[in-house]
Amino acid sequence: MIRALRVTDGRDEGALHAYDRAMRRRFQSKDVVSLLVQAFLARPVLFEYAARRLARRDGVRATMGLVMGDLVPASRALDPRFLAGLLAP
């Protein structure tokens, strides 16, 4: 952002729009994961279901912790294999 401001000196909004698009793309997966977690938290039955599975599945729990801690890309938590591992009975 600093570069966009320096290059444009505040006159060219195109650079700022490009920066905004880049940041939205960068954090889009994390935003989706956060919305999914919030949706589960808003429905106690769903949250309990997922929490029980996280408690029993070490690999899934570890991945979720890494995703929430921003230590791996959030897209890992959106992978169908991860979701199946989390939500399968």
Side-chain angles (χ1 to χ4, degrees):
M1 181 170 174
I2 299 297
R3 181 171 171 251
L5 289 173
R6 282 185 187 149
V7 169
T8 65
D9 197 22
R11 293 182 296 247
D12 179 10
E13 290 188 26
L16 293 176
H17 288 295
Y19 173 80
D20 184 55
R21 283 190 305 277
M23 290 298 99
R24 286 178 192 266
R25 273 193 307 272
R26 168 69 176 87
F27 293 104
Q28 184 175 21
S29 293
K30 181 63 180 237
D31 290 344
V32 171
V33 170
S34 295
L35 288 171
L36 282 171
V37 169
Q38 290 174 33
F40 274 77
L41 288 170
R43 291 164 183 81
V45 172
L46 291 178
F47 176 74
E48 288 297 323
Y49 180 87
R52 283 192 305 272
R53 275 136 190 87
L54 279 172
R56 290 191 308 237
R57 298 171 181 169
D58 294 339
V60 174
R61 184 176 58 249
T63 298
M64 190 63 162
L66 292 170
V67 166
M68 296 311 293
D70 294 326
L71 299 172
V72 298
S75 58
R76 285 197 190 177
L78 300 174
D79 184 293
R81 292 168 294 194
F82 172 82
L83 293 171
L86 170 63
L87 299 175

